[in-house]
Amino acid sequence: METVNTGEIFTIVDENEQEQDVEVLGKLTVDGKDYVAVAFVEELLIESEEDIDVFFFHIESNGEWVSIEDDDEFERISTLFENVH
């Protein structure tokens, strides 16, 4: 997996073409594919009882982060991530 460390902050461009800072919550490899779990830094800084939104990206061999579009894949990775972390 590309060198991505838990706690690192990256800027991504969302679906509305807005830049958002995200923090890496964890990473894992499943069936030879590398994934990272991230959350918006802004949500992490707010002390709240509410759940935060967590997003998962597949890391391509060229280092590009690709969002998971398939619902079944998302659920599988989400479940595995919860069990590991």
Side-chain angles (χ1 to χ4, degrees):
M1 175 181 287
E2 171 188 335
T3 304
V4 175
N5 295 307
T6 300
E8 281 190 77
I9 296 176
F10 293 90
T11 300
I12 61 172
V13 178
D14 67 15
E15 65 273 357
N16 298 320
E17 301 298 319
Q18 299 292 316
E19 289 187 351
Q20 299 282 339
D21 289 334
V22 295
E23 182 174 332
V24 175
L25 303 175
K27 56 187 179 178
L28 66 148
T29 301
V30 178
D31 297 332
K33 287 185 167 183
D34 298 323
Y35 295 90
V36 292
V38 301
F40 293 119
V41 170
E42 186 175 293
E43 286 186 18
L44 293 171
L45 294 175
I46 299 171
E47 291 188 28
S48 173
E49 298 287 324
E50 295 182 31
D51 291 336
I52 60 169
D53 292 323
V54 175
F55 303 92
F56 297 91
F57 291 92
H58 163 66
I59 300 178
E60 297 286 332
S61 59
N62 64 1
E64 182 179 346
W65 291 19
V66 179
S67 60
I68 299 173
E69 301 294 330
D70 180 86
D71 290 339
D72 291 334
E73 182 181 12
F74 180 88
E75 287 300 320
R76 185 172 69 112
I77 298 305
S78 176
T79 299
L80 290 170
F81 179 79
E82 286 177 18
N83 291 333
V84 172
H85 297 281

